[in-house]
Each structure stands twice: as C-alpha cells, then as structure tokens.
Amino acid sequence: EYDVSESINEICRPLRCSSLSMDGDSDASDASGDEEEVRKPHDTMAFNEFLIWMRRVRCLELGKHWQSYQKVATETFGYVDPTELSTLVSDLSPLPELQEESFRELGLERTAPLSFDVLVCLKRHCSLMKDLSMEEARYFNGVFDQFQAEDHAGFVKREDCLCIFRSMGFGLNSDEIYSLLLDAKAAGHRLLSLSDFLNMMRACRSRQRGMIRTAY
C-alpha cells in the first residue's frame, strides 16, 4: 500500500557500506598473504530474515509518520486536532463529505481529537481508497468479497480475474487482464490482495478514460 523504497534504501545503505569495507579487508588480507576468508552477505534470504526486514521497514515508516504527527500535535499529549488532518494524511479527500464518509467507514468521530494509532489507520485506509469514490470503493469491495478464495481469506486467485472483470461488464481478454496486472505491479502474484485488485481497477478506469479522450 505504500512506496517504501526510501526506507529500503535507508536499511540497505549501512549494509552496502559494510559490504564495501568487507571487500576492502578481503583485498588487504589477500595482498598480505592471509588466506582467512571474509564472510560476505548472502544473495538469498530465509523467511525469518525477510520478516526482520519487513519489521525494520515498518518501524522506519511509523517513525516518519510519528515525526510529522509531533509537529502538529496539540497541547494534549498524544492527540492532534482534526483540522490538521490534511497535513498528516496526504491521500485524504479535500471534500468534507468524502472525509465524513471515510470517518464513518472506520467508525470515527470527525470532531474528536485523534490519537496516533487512529491516524495511522486513517492513513492506510485513505491510501487504499485513493482516487475512488465511496460508491466505487463499496462496489469493488463487494465484488472482491464475492470472489475471495475459500482457502485464502482476504485474497482472490489470479486465474479468477477474467471472471471477475466479466462479472462487472468488462469484455477483457487474457492479454488485457495481464496488462492490467502489470500496471498494478501484481503480475507475479498468484493471489491478489484488495490493494492489488483496486490498483487494477484504477488502471482499467485510466485506460477507459484515455480511450474516451482519444475518441473525443
């Protein structure tokens, strides 16, 4: 749901520096005739290592959100005034009625002070629903729920995409579906999350609008 490339680079930078220093030490030891091997980073990673990486990325992202949150925090520690939301949640719609809808979807009061945890939840929700009206979001959510895999709750199978799009009235063929998967950066996924599916719908809508503009 987030572009975490900046955080990944922050994690990788010290590792790259460490790798370079290790290479330098290896060259020096070779020159001096020392045959002791210098251990280099592995090209592959185990699942537990992957989870450690993801925790690091999450902590970095939350740290950035926390810094932004502190800048606009009110005198009441741990809370921020709702009028400051636009500075914290970039994907929040500028329209008051759509903001109200977002709050209702999450069961929040629009006028109540908001804690950091609630802000993070709101940020994720707005990122997921970006560029979609509430009617579109509800409809796409309903379609997604209808086709969820029984053995994989929260996902739809990639091979069901053709049926899903045709159930919504889109006459797409397999090549066009694969093209949408590429646009959604989900072509390598066997199972599609709601985020993947909504990205496909955004890509599909963008193409339709482009065709209408061309025809016009």
Side-chain angles (χ1 to χ4, degrees), residues 40-123:
K40 296 183 179 180
H42 296 293
D43 293 329
T44 58
M45 119 178 4
F47 181 60
N48 63 323
E49 293 176 306
F50 171 74
L51 292 180
I52 292 171
W53 273 75
M54 296 314 298
R55 291 188 192 101
R56 289 176 178 173
V57 170
R58 183 179 61 181
C59 288
L60 283 172
E61 290 298 302
L62 287 175
K64 292 172 186 175
H65 298 334
W66 176 250
Q67 290 175 0
S68 301
Y69 173 77
Q70 283 186 311
K71 289 179 183 177
V72 296
T74 60
E75 294 179 359
T76 308
F77 179 75
Y79 290 90
V80 64
D81 193 274
T83 56
E84 300 286 353
L85 272 178
S86 59
T87 62
L88 295 170
V89 186
S90 57
D91 293 328
L92 185 66
S93 172
L95 301 176
E97 57 271 21
L98 292 182
Q99 291 184 12
E100 292 288 345
E101 287 282 354
S102 295
F103 275 79
R104 276 198 294 271
E105 287 282 325
L106 296 172
L108 304 174
E109 290 290 336
R110 180 69 176 84
T111 55
L114 302 173
S115 68
F116 178 67
D117 289 341
V118 171
L119 277 173
V120 170
C121 181
L122 182 62
K123 192 175 182 71

Side-chain angles (χ1 to χ4, degrees), residues 155-159 161 178 181-182 184-197 199-200:
F155 296 90
V156 295
K157 294 180 179 178
R158 174 177 164 173
E159 57 263 30
C161 281
Y178 183 72
L181 285 166
L182 289 174
K185 299 179 181 178
H189 300 180
R190 185 175 60 87
L191 297 170
L192 304 178
S193 66
L194 177 60
S195 178
D196 294 329
F197 177 66
N199 284 336
M200 290 181 71

Side-chain angles (χ1 to χ4, degrees), residues 162-196:
L162 198 61
C163 294
I164 294 173
F165 276 83
R166 287 183 177 175
S167 74
M168 293 186 289
F170 295 98
L172 304 178
N173 58 36
S174 299
D175 290 338
E176 290 169 323
I177 292 290
Y178 183 72
S179 182
L180 290 178
L181 285 166
L182 289 174
D183 289 346
K185 299 179 181 178
H189 300 180
R190 185 175 60 87
L191 297 170
L192 304 178
S193 66
L194 177 60
S195 178
D196 294 329

Side-chain angles (χ1 to χ4, degrees), residues 106-140:
L106 296 172
L108 304 174
E109 290 290 336
R110 180 69 176 84
T111 55
L114 302 173
S115 68
F116 178 67
D117 289 341
V118 171
L119 277 173
V120 170
C121 181
L122 182 62
K123 192 175 182 71
R124 287 175 180 166
H125 175 80
C126 292
S127 177
L128 190 64
M129 301 302 171
K130 185 179 179 180
D131 299 329
L132 297 175
S133 67
M134 282 300 165
E135 291 76 15
E136 289 175 320
R138 289 195 190 98
Y139 175 66
F140 294 149

Side-chain angles (χ1 to χ4, degrees), residues 3-17 53 56-57 60-61 64:
D3 180 6
V4 295
S5 54
E6 185 178 341
S7 293
I8 291 291
N9 285 329
E10 287 182 24
I11 294 174
C12 287
R13 198 174 297 117
L15 294 179
R16 291 197 194 101
C17 294
W53 273 75
R56 289 176 178 173
V57 170
L60 283 172
E61 290 298 302
K64 292 172 186 175

